């Protein structure tokens, strides 16, 4: 009974999101308020005084985790606003159409290359701004909308691996190790969603499957290698770029020398600048360890601001803004107001989900859940953790928010199984969040759909979340069985 009572904030969040259809920020605030109330009641009944030390620890860790999140989200959203106004993604869509690729090549290029590349660099569903109009111009409308959603759900390393970094802090595992194992637990999702996209496009021949198999293995291999050696911040960017580059080389070979290949659109230079800044800063950190000189320490978590991808985002944002101002576009920029309007809701949502999770950990509310998980056989743990992760990701519409709810419970499990189960949760939450209602609504808004299409796409997104969770659980059983972790 006590366990159910202590998990009631999670049930409240689920009810508000799924039954009452309230916005995530309201659900997060209600969940955090209920945790705080239950904690005060527990503390008063147990000792007659407040648990001030644990409350202070929860506040410190919430603050550190929130700062590490905000330092990426705020400049990231600023970058998104500016590239939207510059027409960068529209230029990218026109460029892809000019490559002259066949239907199967187009599917692989967009779903495993362009969409993951853009989403990994920025997050926030930005890749949809480029891929939805592009897919609608290339394929039948019903198939295009589903392919856009499948392409989004492929890449849970959005916003430069932010959710993986936060998840590693919450689970008390190494971020690079978590990213590397997550690439393995997510591998079936990449391939199956790619195959689904080919099927939707009507490409079902042996050549299409071989093409997907080759580039799918390239995607997983690059994602795993970069995750292990450089960390999650650049892994998604590198994997998407590798597929996109490989497909461009293929397009050049198919075109021959008779036609010159269209050059990279000049308007899209901010993406190149961001990729270059990320790589250079990462190499600088590896060579000099300069990112170790400033560490913000919480009670149980720590944050290295100089190692954050927010540094690269801030530098490129400042560069783009300076160039726009120099060209006399200052009046049309109005960045501060637009940024405040767009960043307020996601920041508040993430803050209260983080506060809720940290209070539940420090108050011992998750001990009953952890005891229940510890009593299960290893083969049963992965499916249950995958279900928890998918539920949290789908509910919150955010892989960071999804990790914030249940990942702290993973930190309390035995160290021998913690990394694999953290990867299962990270993958399941990420893939489910990118098929959630908020992402579906973004697709619907970009495509200007009707009520029938809205219902169909919502059901398709939910089916994707369920299927992805099952694939992640299956991959975990294989990875654990062969002893990779």
């Amino acid at each position: 009974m006590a366990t159910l009572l202590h998990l009631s904030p999670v049930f409240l969040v689920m009810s508000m999101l799924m039954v009452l259809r309230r916005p995530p920020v309201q659900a997060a605030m209600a969940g955090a308020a209920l945790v705080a109330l239950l904690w005060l009641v527990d503390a008063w009944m147990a000792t007659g005084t407040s648990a001030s030390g644990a409350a202070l620890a929860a506040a410190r860790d919430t603050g550190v985790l929130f700062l590490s999140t905000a330092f990426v989200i705020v400049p990231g959203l600023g970058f998104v606003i500016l590239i939207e106004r510059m027409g960068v993604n529209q230029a990218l869509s026109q460029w892809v159409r000019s490559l002259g690729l066949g239907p199967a090549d187009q599917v692989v290029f967009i779903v495993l290359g362009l969409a993951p590349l853009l989403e990994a660099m920025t997050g926030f569903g930005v890749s949809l701004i480029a891929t939805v109009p592009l897919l609608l111009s290339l394929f039948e409308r019903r198939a295009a909308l589903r392919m856009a959603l499948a392409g989004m759900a492929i890449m849970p390393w959005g916003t430069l691996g932010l959710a993986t970094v936060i998840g590693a802090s919450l689970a008390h595992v190494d971020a690079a190790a978590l990213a590397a194992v997550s690439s393995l637990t997510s591998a079936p999702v990449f391939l199956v969603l790619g195959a689904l996209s080919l099927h939707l496009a009507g490409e079902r021949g042996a050549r299409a499957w071989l093409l997907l198999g080759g580039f799918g293995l390239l995607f997983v291999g690059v994602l795993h290698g970069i995750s292990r050696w450089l960390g999650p911040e650049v892994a998604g960017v590198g994997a998407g770029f590798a597929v996109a580059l490989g497909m461009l080389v293929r397009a050049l070979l198919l075109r021959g020398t008779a036609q010159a290949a269209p050059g990279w659109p000049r308007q899209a230079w901010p993406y190149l600048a961001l990729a270059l800044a990320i790589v250079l800063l990462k190499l600088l950190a590896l060579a000099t360890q300069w990112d170790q000189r400033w560490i913000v320490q919480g009670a149980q978590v720590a944050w290295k601001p100089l190692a954050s991808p927010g540094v690269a985002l801030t530098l490129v944002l400042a560069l783009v803004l300076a160039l726009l101002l120099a060209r006399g576009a200052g009046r049309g920029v109005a960045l501060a107001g637009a940024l405040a309007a767009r960043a307020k809701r996601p920041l508040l949502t993430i803050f209260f989900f983080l506060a809720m999770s940290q209070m539940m950990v420090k108050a011992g509310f998750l001990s009953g859940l952890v005891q229940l998980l510890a009593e299960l056989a290893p083969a049963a743990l992965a499916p249950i953790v995958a279900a928890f992760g998918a539920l949290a990701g789908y509910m919150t519409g955010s892989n960071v928010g999804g990790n914030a709810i249940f990942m702290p419970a993973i930190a309390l499990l035995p160290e021998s199984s913690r990394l694999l189960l953290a990867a299962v949760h990270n993958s399941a939450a990420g893939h489910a969040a990118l098929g959630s209602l908020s992402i579906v609504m973004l697709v619907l808004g970009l495509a200007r759909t009707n009520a029938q299409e809205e219902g169909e796409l919502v059901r398709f997104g939910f089916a994707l979340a369920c299927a992805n969770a099952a694939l992640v659980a299956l991959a975990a059983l294989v990875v654990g069985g062969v002893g990779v972790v």
Side-chain angles (χ1 to χ4, degrees):
M1 181 63 71
T3 298
L4 290 177
L5 181 63
H6 287 163
L7 289 178
S8 60
V10 177
F11 301 143
L12 174 63
V13 169
M14 292 168 56
S15 300
M16 291 187 67
L17 290 170
M18 305 300 291
V19 180
L20 301 178
R21 301 293 179 90
R22 304 309 302 164
V25 64
Q26 294 182 14
M29 293 172 70
L34 181 55
V35 173
L37 177 62
L38 291 174
W39 194 3
L40 286 173
V41 171
D42 276 3
W44 178 77
M45 292 180 65
T47 64
T49 60
S50 63
S52 56
L56 180 60
R60 287 177 60 191
D61 283 351
T62 299
V64 171
L65 291 168
F66 178 72
L67 285 175
S68 66
T69 305
F71 187 45
V72 177
I73 286 181
V74 173
L77 279 173
F79 179 79
V80 166
I81 291 168
L82 292 186
I83 63 173
E84 285 177 358
R85 295 178 179 179
M86 294 166 64
V88 170
N89 289 332
Q90 290 82 350
L92 276 177
S93 296
Q94 295 172 4
W95 175 68
V96 173
R97 284 194 293 270
S98 70
L99 292 175
L101 294 169
D105 300 271
Q106 290 172 343
V107 170
V108 174
F109 180 78
I110 296 170
V111 172
L112 280 180
L114 185 63
L117 172 62
L118 299 182
E119 193 61 27
M121 293 180 76
T122 57
F124 317 110
V126 171
S127 65
L128 291 172
I129 300 171
T131 58
V132 169
L134 177 59
L135 289 166
L136 286 172
S137 70
L138 295 173
F139 301 100
E140 183 269 331
R141 180 178 177 85
R142 186 171 182 272
L145 294 177
R146 283 158 174 73
M147 289 163 63
L149 200 57
M152 267 295 294
I154 276 180
M155 179 42 69
W157 274 263
T159 322
L160 301 173
L162 175 62
T164 302
V165 175
I166 297 298
S169 297
L170 293 171
H172 301 161
V173 296
D174 179 69
L178 177 59
V181 180
S182 297
S183 69
L184 300 179
T185 53
S186 289
V189 177
F190 304 142
L191 297 174
V192 170
L193 292 189
L196 175 62
S197 298
L198 283 175
H199 179 81
L200 290 169
E203 294 295 314
R204 301 160 192 173
R207 175 188 169 277
W209 301 126
L210 288 173
L211 186 72
L212 172 64
F215 279 98
L217 290 176
L218 174 65
F219 185 90
V220 174
V222 173
L223 187 66
H224 181 76
I226 296 180
S227 294
R228 183 168 293 279
W229 297 109
L230 294 179
E233 297 89 350
V234 292
V237 177
F241 179 76
V243 172
L245 181 62
M247 192 56 69
L248 289 177
V249 171
R250 175 178 168 78
L252 287 174
L253 294 175
L254 292 175
R255 293 167 73 98
T257 57
Q259 286 182 293
W264 178 262
R266 292 181 59 188
Q267 298 97 316
W269 68 265
Y271 279 127
L272 293 179
L274 179 58
L276 183 62
I278 294 167
V279 173
L280 289 178
L281 287 171
K282 196 69 177 179
L283 292 175
L284 179 63
L286 290 172
T288 65
Q289 302 298 311
W290 77 299
D291 56 326
Q292 306 291 332
R293 298 177 182 176
W294 183 17
I295 299 177
V296 179
Q297 185 68 50
Q300 292 180 317
V301 300
W303 171 46
K304 301 174 185 175
L306 298 179
S308 170
V311 176
L313 282 165
T314 302
L315 291 174
V316 176
L317 174 63
L319 174 63
V320 174
L321 188 59
L323 290 175
L324 288 175
L325 292 172
R327 294 172 184 171
R331 293 183 178 179
V333 174
L335 181 61
L339 181 56
R342 191 177 291 196
K344 178 174 63 176
R345 190 175 296 272
L347 286 177
L348 283 173
T349 302
I350 289 172
F351 173 80
F352 283 108
F353 274 130
L354 288 171
M356 172 181 158
S357 71
Q358 288 306 301
M359 284 190 289
M360 291 181 74
V361 170
K362 303 303 189 289
F365 284 13
L366 296 176
S367 57
L369 175 62
V370 172
Q371 184 178 356
L372 176 64
L373 293 176
E375 293 173 354
L376 296 173
L381 271 176
I384 291 176
V385 171
F388 280 153
L391 178 63
Y394 190 84
M395 285 194 314
T396 61
S398 162
N399 40 2
V400 176
N403 278 349
I405 291 181
F406 287 120
M407 192 68 90
I410 305 298
L412 304 176
L413 292 173
E415 189 173 353
S416 59
S417 60
R418 189 186 308 158
L419 178 58
L420 177 59
L421 293 176
V424 170
H425 189 287
N426 188 44
S427 292
H431 293 303
L434 296 180
S436 64
L437 290 175
S438 59
I439 297 298
V440 171
M441 291 303 116
L442 181 54
V443 173
L444 294 172
L446 291 168
R448 298 180 182 179
T449 57
N450 55 42
Q452 180 181 351
E453 288 178 325
E454 177 178 334
E456 291 178 352
L457 202 61
V458 167
R459 289 190 292 273
F460 180 76
F462 182 74
L464 277 185
C466 295
N468 290 342
L471 289 169
V472 168
L474 180 62
L477 294 177
V478 174
V479 170
V482 300
V484 174
V485 182

